[in-house]
Coordinates of all heavy atoms in Angstrom, one line a residue:
M18 N 35.5 36.6 -58.4 CA 35.0 36.8 -57.0 C 33.6 36.4 -56.9 O 33.3 35.9 -55.8 CB 35.1 38.3 -56.9 CG 34.8 38.9 -55.5 SD 35.6 38.2 -54.1 CE 37.2 38.9 -54.3
I19 N 32.7 36.6 -57.9 CA 31.3 36.1 -57.7 C 31.2 34.6 -57.6 O 30.4 34.1 -56.9 CB 30.5 36.5 -59.0 CG1 30.6 38.2 -59.1 CG2 29.1 36.0 -59.0 CD1 29.6 38.8 -58.1
S20 N 32.1 33.8 -58.3 CA 32.0 32.4 -58.1 C 32.4 31.9 -56.8 O 32.0 30.8 -56.4 CB 32.9 31.7 -59.3 OG 34.2 32.1 -59.0
A21 N 33.0 32.6 -56.0 CA 33.5 32.2 -54.6 C 32.3 32.5 -53.6 O 32.5 32.2 -52.4 CB 34.7 33.0 -54.2
M22 N 31.2 33.3 -54.0 CA 30.1 33.6 -53.2 C 29.2 32.4 -53.0 O 28.2 32.4 -53.6 CB 29.4 34.8 -53.6 CG 30.4 36.1 -53.6 SD 29.7 37.6 -54.0 CE 30.9 38.7 -54.0
R23 N 29.6 31.5 -52.1 CA 28.7 30.1 -52.1 C 28.2 30.2 -50.6 O 27.5 29.2 -50.4 CB 29.7 29.1 -52.2 CG 30.3 29.0 -53.6 CD 31.2 27.7 -53.9 NE 31.8 27.8 -55.1 CZ 32.9 27.4 -55.4 NH1 33.7 27.1 -54.4 NH2 33.4 27.5 -56.6
Q24 N 28.3 31.0 -49.8 CA 27.8 30.9 -48.5 C 26.6 31.8 -48.3 O 26.5 32.9 -48.8 CB 28.9 31.2 -47.4 CG 30.0 30.4 -47.4 CD 31.3 30.9 -46.7 OE1 31.6 32.1 -46.9 NE2 32.0 30.1 -46.0
A25 N 25.7 31.4 -47.5 CA 24.5 32.1 -47.3 C 24.7 33.0 -46.0 O 24.9 32.5 -44.9 CB 23.3 31.3 -47.0
L26 N 24.8 34.2 -46.1 CA 25.1 35.3 -45.1 C 23.9 36.0 -44.7 O 23.1 36.6 -45.6 CB 26.2 36.3 -45.5 CG 27.5 35.7 -45.9 CD1 28.4 36.8 -46.4 CD2 28.2 34.8 -44.8
Q27 N 23.5 36.0 -43.4 CA 22.3 36.7 -42.9 C 22.8 38.0 -42.2 O 23.6 37.9 -41.3 CB 21.4 35.9 -42.1 CG 20.4 36.6 -41.5 CD 19.5 35.8 -40.5 OE1 19.5 34.5 -40.7 NE2 18.9 36.3 -39.5
F28 N 22.2 39.2 -42.6 CA 22.6 40.4 -41.9 C 21.5 40.9 -41.0 O 20.3 40.9 -41.4 CB 22.9 41.5 -43.0 CG 24.2 41.2 -43.8 CD1 24.3 40.3 -44.5 CD2 25.3 42.0 -43.3 CE1 25.6 40.1 -45.4 CE2 26.5 41.8 -44.0 CZ 26.5 40.9 -45.0
D29 N 21.8 41.1 -39.8 CA 20.7 41.5 -38.8 C 21.0 42.9 -38.3 O 22.2 43.3 -37.9 CB 20.8 40.6 -37.6 CG 20.3 39.2 -37.9 OD1 19.7 38.9 -39.0 OD2 20.7 38.2 -37.2
Q30 N 20.0 43.7 -38.2 CA 20.1 45.1 -37.7 C 19.4 45.2 -36.3 O 18.4 44.5 -36.0 CB 19.4 46.1 -38.6 CG 20.2 46.6 -39.7 CD 19.4 47.7 -40.5 OE1 18.2 47.8 -40.5 NE2 20.2 48.7 -41.1
P31 N 20.0 46.0 -35.4 CA 19.4 46.2 -34.0 C 18.2 47.1 -34.1 O 18.3 48.1 -34.8 CB 20.5 46.6 -33.2 CG 21.4 47.4 -34.2 CD 21.3 46.6 -35.5
A32 N 17.2 46.8 -33.3 CA 16.2 47.6 -33.1 C 16.2 48.2 -31.6 O 16.0 47.4 -30.7 CB 14.7 46.9 -33.2
K33 N 16.7 49.4 -31.5 CA 17.0 49.9 -30.1 C 15.9 50.6 -29.6 O 15.2 51.4 -30.3 CB 18.1 50.9 -30.3 CG 19.5 50.2 -30.7 CD 20.6 51.2 -30.8 CE 21.8 50.5 -31.3 NZ 23.0 51.5 -31.3
S34 N 15.6 50.3 -28.2 CA 14.5 50.9 -27.5 C 15.0 51.2 -26.1 O 15.9 50.4 -25.7 CB 13.3 50.0 -27.5 OG 13.5 48.9 -26.9
S35 N 14.6 52.2 -25.5 CA 15.0 52.6 -24.1 C 14.2 51.6 -23.1 O 13.2 51.4 -23.3 CB 14.7 54.0 -23.8 OG 13.4 54.3 -23.9
D36 N 15.0 51.3 -22.0 CA 14.3 50.5 -20.9 C 14.1 51.4 -19.8 O 14.3 52.7 -19.8 CB 15.4 49.5 -20.6 CG 16.6 49.9 -20.0 OD1 16.8 51.0 -19.8 OD2 17.6 48.9 -19.8
E37 N 13.6 50.9 -18.7 CA 13.1 51.8 -17.6 C 14.3 52.5 -16.8 O 14.2 53.4 -16.0 CB 12.3 50.9 -16.5 CG 11.0 50.5 -17.0 CD 11.2 49.1 -17.7 OE1 12.0 48.3 -17.5 OE2 10.4 48.9 -18.7
T38 N 15.5 51.9 -17.0 CA 16.7 52.4 -16.2 C 17.4 53.5 -16.9 O 18.5 54.0 -16.5 CB 17.7 51.3 -15.9 OG1 18.2 50.7 -17.1 CG2 17.0 50.2 -15.0
G39 N 17.0 53.9 -18.2 CA 17.7 54.9 -18.9 C 18.7 54.3 -19.9 O 19.3 55.0 -20.6
G40 N 18.7 53.0 -20.0 CA 19.6 52.3 -20.9 C 19.0 52.0 -22.2 O 17.8 52.4 -22.4
Q41 N 19.6 51.1 -22.9 CA 19.0 50.7 -24.3 C 18.8 49.2 -24.3 O 19.7 48.5 -23.8 CB 19.8 51.2 -25.4 CG 19.4 52.6 -25.7 CD 20.1 53.0 -27.1 OE1 21.0 52.3 -27.5 NE2 19.7 54.2 -27.5
E42 N 17.7 48.7 -24.9 CA 17.6 47.2 -25.3 C 17.8 47.1 -26.8 O 17.3 47.9 -27.5 CB 16.2 46.8 -24.8 CG 16.1 46.8 -23.4 CD 14.6 46.3 -23.0 OE1 13.8 46.1 -23.8 OE2 14.4 46.2 -21.8
E43 N 18.6 46.0 -27.1 CA 18.6 45.8 -28.6 C 18.1 44.5 -28.9 O 18.5 43.4 -28.3 CB 20.2 45.8 -28.9 CG 20.8 47.3 -28.8 CD 22.3 47.2 -29.2 OE1 22.7 46.2 -29.5 OE2 22.9 48.3 -29.2
T44 N 17.3 44.5 -29.7 CA 16.7 43.2 -30.4 C 17.1 43.2 -31.9 O 16.9 44.1 -32.5 CB 15.3 43.1 -30.1 OG1 14.6 44.2 -30.6 CG2 14.9 42.9 -28.7
Y45 N 17.6 42.1 -32.3 CA 18.1 42.0 -33.6 C 17.0 41.4 -34.5 O 16.5 40.4 -34.2 CB 19.4 41.1 -33.9 CG 20.6 42.0 -33.3 CD1 20.9 42.0 -31.9 CD2 21.3 42.7 -34.2 CE1 22.0 42.8 -31.5 CE2 22.4 43.6 -33.7 CZ 22.7 43.6 -32.4 OH 23.8 44.3 -31.9
T46 N 16.8 42.0 -35.7 CA 15.8 41.6 -36.6 C 16.6 41.4 -38.0 O 17.6 42.0 -38.4 CB 14.7 42.5 -36.8 OG1 15.2 43.8 -37.3 CG2 13.9 42.8 -35.6
N47 N 16.0 40.5 -38.8 CA 16.7 40.1 -40.1 C 16.5 41.2 -41.0 O 15.4 41.7 -41.2 CB 16.0 38.8 -40.7 CG 16.7 38.4 -41.9 OD1 17.7 38.9 -42.3 ND2 16.1 37.3 -42.5
W48 N 17.7 41.7 -41.5 CA 17.8 42.8 -42.5 C 17.7 42.3 -43.9 O 16.8 42.7 -44.6 CB 18.9 43.7 -42.2 CG 19.2 44.9 -43.1 CD1 18.2 45.6 -43.7 CD2 20.4 45.5 -43.3 NE1 18.7 46.7 -44.3 CE2 20.1 46.6 -44.1 CE3 21.8 45.3 -43.0 CZ2 21.1 47.5 -44.6 CZ3 22.7 46.2 -43.4 CH2 22.4 47.3 -44.2
F49 N 18.5 41.4 -44.3 CA 18.5 40.7 -45.7 C 19.5 39.5 -45.5 O 20.4 39.5 -44.6 CB 18.9 41.7 -46.7 CG 20.3 42.1 -46.8 CD1 21.3 41.3 -47.5 CD2 20.9 43.1 -46.1 CE1 22.6 41.7 -47.5 CE2 22.1 43.5 -46.1 CZ 23.1 42.9 -46.9
T50 N 19.2 38.6 -46.4 CA 20.1 37.4 -46.5 C 20.6 37.4 -48.0 O 19.8 37.7 -48.9 CB 19.3 36.1 -46.3 OG1 18.8 36.3 -44.9 CG2 20.2 35.0 -46.3
C51 N 21.8 37.2 -48.2 CA 22.4 37.0 -49.6 C 23.7 35.9 -49.6 O 24.1 35.5 -48.6 CB 22.8 38.4 -50.0 SG 24.2 39.0 -49.3
R52 N 24.0 35.7 -50.8 CA 25.1 34.8 -51.0 C 26.4 35.7 -50.8 O 26.4 36.9 -51.2 CB 25.1 34.2 -52.4 CG 24.2 33.1 -52.6 CD 24.5 31.9 -51.7 NE 23.5 31.0 -51.8 CZ 23.6 29.8 -51.3 NH1 24.6 29.5 -50.5 NH2 22.7 28.9 -51.3
G53 N 27.4 35.2 -50.3 CA 28.8 35.9 -50.1 C 29.8 34.9 -49.8 O 29.6 33.7 -49.9
S54 N 30.9 35.5 -49.5 CA 32.1 34.5 -49.2 C 32.8 35.2 -47.9 O 32.9 36.4 -47.9 CB 33.1 34.4 -50.3 OG 34.0 35.4 -50.3
M55 N 33.2 34.3 -47.0 CA 33.8 34.8 -45.9 C 35.0 33.8 -45.6 O 34.9 32.7 -45.7 CB 32.8 34.7 -44.7 CG 33.4 35.3 -43.3 SD 32.1 35.4 -42.1 CE 31.4 36.9 -42.5
R56 N 36.2 34.5 -45.4 CA 37.4 33.6 -45.2 C 38.2 34.3 -44.1 O 38.1 35.5 -43.8 CB 38.2 33.5 -46.4 CG 38.9 34.7 -46.9 CD 39.7 34.5 -48.2 NE 40.3 35.7 -48.7 CZ 41.5 36.3 -48.3 NH1 42.3 35.4 -47.6 NH2 41.9 37.3 -48.8
K57 N 38.9 33.4 -43.3 CA 39.7 33.9 -42.2 C 40.9 34.5 -42.7 O 41.6 34.0 -43.6 CB 40.0 32.7 -41.2 CG 40.8 33.2 -40.0 CD 41.1 32.0 -39.0 CE 41.8 32.4 -37.9 NZ 42.1 31.4 -36.9
V58 N 41.3 35.8 -42.2 CA 42.5 36.5 -42.6 C 43.6 36.3 -41.7 O 44.7 36.0 -41.9 CB 42.1 38.1 -42.8 CG1 43.4 38.7 -43.1 CG2 41.1 38.2 -43.8
S59 N 43.3 36.5 -40.3 CA 44.3 36.5 -39.3 C 43.6 36.3 -37.9 O 42.4 36.2 -37.8 CB 45.0 37.8 -39.3 OG 44.4 38.8 -38.8
G60 N 44.5 36.0 -37.0 CA 44.1 35.9 -35.6 C 45.1 36.4 -34.6 O 46.3 36.4 -35.0
Y61 N 44.6 36.9 -33.4 CA 45.6 37.3 -32.4 C 45.0 37.1 -31.1 O 43.8 36.8 -30.9 CB 46.1 38.8 -32.7 CG 44.9 39.7 -32.7 CD1 44.5 40.4 -31.5 CD2 44.3 40.0 -33.9 CE1 43.5 41.3 -31.5 CE2 43.1 41.0 -33.8 CZ 42.7 41.5 -32.6 OH 41.7 42.5 -32.6
R62 N 45.7 37.3 -30.0 CA 45.3 37.3 -28.6 C 45.2 38.6 -28.2 O 46.1 39.5 -28.3 CB 46.2 36.4 -27.8 CG 46.2 35.0 -28.3 CD 47.2 34.2 -27.6 NE 46.9 34.1 -26.2 CZ 47.5 33.3 -25.3 NH1 48.5 32.5 -25.7 NH2 47.2 33.3 -24.0
A63 N 44.1 38.9 -27.4 CA 44.0 40.3 -26.8 C 43.6 40.0 -25.3 O 42.7 39.1 -25.0 CB 42.8 41.0 -27.5
F64 N 44.1 40.8 -24.5 CA 43.8 40.9 -23.1 C 42.7 42.0 -22.8 O 43.1 43.1 -22.8 CB 45.0 41.0 -22.1 CG 44.7 40.8 -20.8 CD1 44.6 39.5 -20.2 CD2 44.6 41.8 -19.9 CE1 44.3 39.2 -18.9 CE2 44.3 41.6 -18.5 CZ 44.2 40.3 -18.0
Q65 N 41.4 41.6 -22.7 CA 40.4 42.5 -22.5 C 39.5 42.1 -21.4 O 39.2 41.0 -21.2 CB 39.6 42.7 -23.8 CG 40.3 43.2 -25.0 CD 39.5 43.3 -26.3 OE1 38.3 42.9 -26.3 NE2 40.1 43.8 -27.3
S66 N 39.0 43.1 -20.6 CA 38.0 42.9 -19.5 C 38.6 41.8 -18.6 O 37.7 41.1 -18.1 CB 36.7 42.5 -20.1 OG 36.2 43.5 -21.0
G67 N 39.8 41.7 -18.3 CA 40.3 40.9 -17.3 C 40.5 39.4 -17.7 O 40.8 38.6 -16.9
Y68 N 40.4 39.2 -19.0 CA 40.7 37.8 -19.5 C 41.4 37.8 -20.9 O 41.3 38.7 -21.6 CB 39.4 36.9 -19.6 CG 38.3 37.3 -20.6 CD1 38.4 36.9 -21.8 CD2 37.5 38.3 -20.3 CE1 37.4 37.3 -22.8 CE2 36.5 38.7 -21.1 CZ 36.5 38.2 -22.3 OH 35.6 38.7 -23.2
D69 N 42.2 36.7 -21.2 CA 42.7 36.5 -22.4 C 41.9 36.0 -23.4 O 41.2 34.9 -23.2 CB 44.1 35.6 -22.2 CG 45.1 35.7 -23.3 OD1 44.9 36.6 -24.0 OD2 45.8 34.9 -23.3
A70 N 41.7 36.7 -24.6 CA 40.7 36.2 -25.6 C 41.5 36.1 -26.9 O 42.4 36.8 -27.2 CB 39.7 37.3 -25.8
S71 N 41.0 35.1 -27.6 CA 41.4 34.9 -28.9 C 40.5 35.6 -29.9 O 39.4 35.3 -29.9 CB 41.4 33.4 -29.3 OG 41.8 33.1 -30.7
V72 N 41.1 36.5 -30.8 CA 40.3 37.3 -31.7 C 40.6 36.9 -33.2 O 41.8 36.9 -33.5 CB 40.5 38.7 -31.6 CG1 39.8 39.5 -32.6 CG2 40.3 39.1 -30.1
N73 N 39.7 36.5 -33.9 CA 39.9 36.0 -35.3 C 39.4 37.0 -36.2 O 38.2 37.6 -36.0 CB 39.3 34.6 -35.7 CG 39.8 33.5 -34.9 OD1 41.2 33.5 -34.8 ND2 39.1 32.6 -34.3
V74 N 40.0 37.5 -37.2 CA 39.7 38.4 -38.3 C 39.3 37.7 -39.5 O 40.1 37.1 -40.0 CB 40.7 39.5 -38.4 CG1 40.3 40.5 -39.4 CG2 41.1 40.1 -37.1
Y75 N 38.1 38.1 -40.1 CA 37.6 37.5 -41.3 C 37.3 38.6 -42.3 O 37.1 39.8 -42.0 CB 36.2 36.8 -41.1 CG 36.4 35.4 -40.3 CD1 36.5 35.5 -38.9 CD2 36.5 34.3 -40.9 CE1 36.6 34.3 -38.2 CE2 36.6 33.2 -40.2 CZ 36.7 33.1 -38.9 OH 36.7 32.0 -38.2
E76 N 37.5 38.2 -43.6 CA 36.9 39.2 -44.8 C 35.6 38.6 -45.2 O 35.6 37.4 -45.5 CB 37.9 39.2 -45.8 CG 39.2 40.0 -45.5 CD 40.1 40.1 -46.7 OE1 40.1 39.1 -47.6 OE2 40.9 40.9 -46.8
C77 N 34.8 39.5 -45.5 CA 33.5 39.0 -46.1 C 33.2 39.8 -47.3 O 33.5 41.0 -47.4 CB 32.3 39.4 -45.1 SG 30.7 39.1 -45.6
Y78 N 32.8 39.0 -48.4 CA 32.5 39.7 -49.7 C 31.0 39.4 -50.1 O 30.7 38.3 -50.0 CB 33.4 39.2 -50.9 CG 34.9 39.6 -50.6 CD1 35.8 38.7 -49.9 CD2 35.3 40.8 -51.0 CE1 37.0 39.1 -49.8 CE2 36.7 41.2 -50.9 CZ 37.5 40.3 -50.3 OH 38.8 40.6 -50.1
I79 N 30.3 40.4 -50.5 CA 29.0 40.3 -50.9 C 28.8 41.3 -52.1 O 29.5 42.2 -52.3 CB 28.0 40.7 -49.9 CG1 28.0 42.2 -49.3 CG2 27.9 39.9 -48.5 CD1 26.9 42.7 -48.6
P80 N 27.7 41.0 -52.9 CA 27.4 41.8 -54.1 C 27.1 43.3 -53.6 O 26.5 43.3 -52.5 CB 26.3 41.1 -54.9 CG 26.4 39.7 -54.3 CD 26.9 39.8 -53.0
W81 N 27.4 44.3 -54.3 CA 27.0 45.6 -53.9 C 25.5 45.8 -54.0 O 24.8 45.4 -54.9 CB 27.7 46.6 -54.9 CG 27.5 47.9 -54.5 CD1 28.0 48.8 -53.7 CD2 26.3 48.8 -55.0 NE1 27.5 50.1 -53.6 CE2 26.4 50.1 -54.4 CE3 25.4 48.6 -56.1 CZ2 25.6 51.2 -54.8 CZ3 24.5 49.7 -56.3 CH2 24.6 50.9 -55.7
R82 N 25.1 46.6 -52.9 CA 23.7 46.9 -52.9 C 23.7 48.4 -52.3 O 24.3 48.7 -51.3 CB 22.8 46.1 -52.0 CG 22.5 44.7 -52.4 CD 21.8 44.0 -51.4 NE 21.6 42.6 -51.7 CZ 20.8 41.8 -51.3 NH1 19.9 42.3 -50.2 NH2 20.6 40.6 -51.6
N83 N 22.8 49.3 -52.9 CA 22.8 50.6 -52.3 C 22.3 50.6 -51.0 O 22.9 51.4 -50.1 CB 21.8 51.5 -53.2 CG 21.9 52.9 -52.8 OD1 22.9 53.5 -52.7 ND2 20.8 53.5 -52.6
E84 N 21.4 49.7 -50.6 CA 21.0 49.7 -49.1 C 22.0 49.4 -48.2 O 22.1 50.0 -47.2 CB 19.9 48.6 -49.2 CG 19.2 48.4 -47.9 CD 18.3 49.5 -47.2 OE1 17.9 50.3 -48.1 OE2 18.1 49.5 -46.0
V85 N 23.0 48.5 -48.5 CA 24.1 48.2 -47.6 C 25.0 49.5 -47.5 O 25.4 49.8 -46.5 CB 24.8 47.0 -48.2 CG1 26.1 46.8 -47.4 CG2 24.0 45.7 -48.3
E86 N 25.4 50.0 -48.6 CA 26.3 51.2 -48.5 C 25.7 52.4 -47.7 O 26.4 53.0 -47.0 CB 26.6 51.7 -50.0 CG 27.6 52.7 -50.1 CD 28.1 53.1 -51.5 OE1 27.6 52.4 -52.4 OE2 28.8 54.1 -51.6
T87 N 24.4 52.6 -47.8 CA 23.6 53.6 -47.1 C 23.5 53.3 -45.6 O 23.8 54.0 -44.8 CB 22.3 53.9 -47.7 OG1 22.4 54.1 -49.2 CG2 21.7 55.1 -47.1
N88 N 22.9 52.1 -45.2 CA 22.5 51.7 -43.9 C 23.5 50.9 -43.1 O 23.0 50.4 -42.0 CB 21.2 51.1 -44.0 CG 20.2 52.2 -44.5 OD1 20.2 53.4 -44.2 ND2 19.3 51.8 -45.4
L89 N 24.6 50.5 -43.7 CA 25.6 49.6 -42.8 C 26.1 50.3 -41.7 O 26.7 51.3 -41.9 CB 26.5 48.9 -43.7 CG 27.4 47.8 -43.1 CD1 26.5 46.6 -42.8 CD2 28.5 47.4 -44.1
S90 N 26.2 49.7 -40.5 CA 26.9 50.2 -39.5 C 27.6 49.3 -38.6 O 27.4 48.1 -38.9 CB 25.7 51.0 -38.6 OG 25.0 50.1 -37.9
K91 N 28.2 49.6 -37.6 CA 28.9 48.7 -36.8 C 28.1 47.9 -35.8 O 28.5 47.0 -35.3 CB 30.0 49.4 -36.0 CG 31.2 49.9 -36.8 CD 32.3 50.4 -36.0 CE 33.5 50.8 -36.8 NZ 34.7 51.2 -36.1
D92 N 26.8 48.3 -35.8 CA 25.8 47.6 -35.0 C 25.3 46.4 -35.6 O 24.8 45.5 -35.1 CB 24.6 48.5 -34.5 CG 25.1 49.6 -33.6 OD1 26.1 49.4 -32.9 OD2 24.5 50.6 -33.5
V93 N 25.5 46.3 -37.0 CA 25.0 45.1 -37.8 C 25.8 43.9 -37.4 O 27.0 44.0 -37.2 CB 25.0 45.4 -39.3 CG1 24.6 44.3 -40.0 CG2 24.1 46.6 -39.5
I94 N 25.2 42.8 -37.3 CA 25.7 41.5 -37.1 C 25.5 40.6 -38.3 O 24.6 40.6 -39.0 CB 25.1 40.8 -36.0 CG1 25.6 41.6 -34.6 CG2 25.5 39.4 -35.8 CD1 25.0 41.1 -33.3
V95 N 26.5 39.8 -38.7 CA 26.6 38.9 -39.9 C 26.6 37.6 -39.2 O 27.3 37.1 -38.4 CB 27.9 39.1 -40.7 CG1 27.8 38.1 -41.9 CG2 28.1 40.5 -41.2
N96 N 25.5 36.8 -39.6 CA 25.4 35.4 -39.2 C 25.8 34.4 -40.3 O 25.3 34.6 -41.4 CB 24.0 35.2 -38.8 CG 23.5 35.9 -37.5 OD1 24.0 35.7 -36.6 ND2 22.3 36.5 -37.6
L97 N 26.6 33.4 -40.0 CA 27.1 32.4 -40.9 C 27.1 31.1 -40.1 O 27.8 31.0 -39.2 CB 28.4 32.7 -41.5 CG 29.0 31.6 -42.3 CD1 28.3 31.4 -43.5 CD2 30.5 31.9 -42.6
E98 N 26.3 30.3 -40.4 CA 26.3 28.8 -39.9 C 26.2 28.8 -38.4 O 26.9 28.2 -37.7 CB 27.4 28.1 -40.3 CG 27.5 27.9 -41.8 CD 28.7 27.2 -42.3 OE1 29.8 27.0 -41.5 OE2 28.7 26.9 -43.6
G99 N 25.4 29.7 -37.8 CA 25.1 29.8 -36.3 C 26.2 30.6 -35.7 O 26.1 30.7 -34.4
R100 N 27.1 31.2 -36.3 CA 28.1 32.1 -35.7 C 27.8 33.4 -36.0 O 27.3 33.8 -37.1 CB 29.6 31.6 -36.1 CG 30.0 30.3 -35.7 CD 31.4 30.0 -36.1 NE 31.4 30.0 -37.6 CZ 32.6 30.1 -38.2 NH1 33.7 30.0 -37.7 NH2 32.6 30.0 -39.5
Q101 N 28.0 34.3 -35.1 CA 27.8 35.8 -35.3 C 29.2 36.5 -35.4 O 30.1 36.3 -34.7 CB 27.0 36.4 -34.2 CG 25.6 35.8 -34.0 CD 24.8 36.4 -33.0 OE1 25.4 37.0 -32.1 NE2 23.5 36.4 -33.1
F102 N 29.1 37.4 -36.4 CA 30.4 38.3 -36.6 C 30.0 39.8 -36.5 O 29.0 40.2 -37.0 CB 31.0 38.0 -38.0 CG 31.4 36.5 -38.1 CD1 30.5 35.5 -38.7 CD2 32.7 36.1 -37.8 CE1 30.8 34.3 -38.7 CE2 33.0 34.8 -38.0 CZ 32.2 33.9 -38.4
A103 N 30.9 40.6 -35.9 CA 30.8 42.0 -35.8 C 31.4 42.7 -37.0 O 32.4 42.1 -37.6 CB 31.4 42.6 -34.5
I104 N 31.0 43.7 -37.6 CA 31.6 44.4 -38.6 C 32.6 45.6 -38.1 O 32.1 46.3 -37.3 CB 30.5 45.1 -39.5 CG1 29.6 43.9 -40.0 CG2 31.1 45.9 -40.6 CD1 28.5 44.4 -40.9
E105 N 33.7 45.5 -38.5 CA 34.6 46.5 -38.1 C 34.8 47.7 -39.2 O 34.7 48.8 -38.8 CB 36.2 46.0 -38.1 CG 37.2 46.8 -37.6 CD 38.5 46.0 -37.4 OE1 38.5 44.9 -36.7 OE2 39.5 46.4 -37.9
H106 N 34.8 47.5 -40.3 CA 34.7 48.5 -41.4 C 34.3 47.8 -42.8 O 34.3 46.5 -42.9 CB 36.0 49.2 -41.6 CG 37.2 48.3 -42.2 ND1 37.9 47.6 -41.3 CD2 37.6 48.2 -43.4 CE1 38.8 47.0 -42.1 NE2 38.7 47.3 -43.2
F107 N 34.0 48.7 -43.8 CA 33.7 48.1 -45.1 C 34.1 49.1 -46.1 O 34.2 50.3 -45.8 CB 32.2 47.8 -45.2 CG 31.4 49.0 -45.5 CD1 30.9 49.4 -46.7 CD2 30.8 49.8 -44.3 CE1 30.2 50.4 -46.9 CE2 30.0 50.9 -44.6 CZ 29.8 51.3 -45.9
H108 N 34.3 48.6 -47.3 CA 34.7 49.4 -48.4 C 34.4 48.7 -49.7 O 34.1 47.4 -49.7 CB 36.2 49.8 -48.4 CG 37.1 48.6 -48.6 ND1 37.5 47.9 -47.6 CD2 37.7 48.1 -49.7 CE1 38.3 46.9 -48.0 NE2 38.5 47.0 -49.2
L109 N 34.2 49.4 -50.8 CA 33.9 48.9 -52.1 C 35.4 48.3 -52.7 O 36.4 49.0 -52.6 CB 33.5 49.9 -53.1 CG 32.1 50.5 -52.6 CD1 31.7 51.6 -53.6 CD2 31.0 49.4 -52.7
V110 N 35.3 47.1 -53.3 CA 36.6 46.5 -53.8 C 36.8 47.2 -55.1 O 35.9 47.1 -56.0 CB 36.4 45.0 -54.0 CG1 37.6 44.5 -54.7 CG2 36.2 44.3 -52.8
E111 N 37.9 47.9 -55.2 CA 38.2 48.6 -56.5 C 37.3 49.7 -56.9 O 37.1 49.9 -57.9 CB 38.6 47.7 -57.6 CG 39.8 46.7 -57.3 CD 40.1 45.8 -58.4 OE1 39.3 45.7 -59.4 OE2 40.9 44.9 -58.2
E112 N 36.4 50.1 -55.9 CA 35.3 51.0 -56.2 C 34.4 50.6 -57.3 O 33.7 51.4 -57.8 CB 36.0 52.4 -56.4 CG 36.7 53.0 -55.4 CD 36.1 53.3 -54.0 OE1 34.8 53.7 -54.1 OE2 36.6 52.8 -53.0
N113 N 34.3 49.3 -57.5 CA 33.3 48.7 -58.4 C 32.0 48.5 -57.7 O 32.0 48.1 -56.6 CB 33.8 47.3 -59.1 CG 34.9 47.6 -59.9 OD1 35.1 48.7 -60.5 ND2 35.8 46.6 -60.0
R114 N 30.9 48.8 -58.4 CA 29.6 48.5 -57.8 C 29.0 47.2 -58.5 O 28.1 47.0 -58.9 CB 28.7 49.7 -58.0 CG 29.3 50.9 -57.3 CD 28.2 52.1 -57.5 NE 28.7 53.3 -57.1 CZ 29.0 53.7 -55.9 NH1 28.8 53.0 -54.9 NH2 29.4 55.0 -55.7

């Protein structure tokens, strides 16, 4: 698994602040960058918000870090080669650290 981690993945966390209308503004800042691997698992079509969208699902593997396990949320964005990916869920592979 470690030998397959050849891509540079950048993880960005949002800094949320309130705006004048009672909503929130989100600006993303670099949380950390590490080597990992990302591969496409599946794809499907979804009809959301009035338009037909193509949704691709990827698996991402990175080395274990306590900081990631503690502070990873669905608001974090993964950047790879100019593309942004949302996080759906995460787990430890075979519970190995």
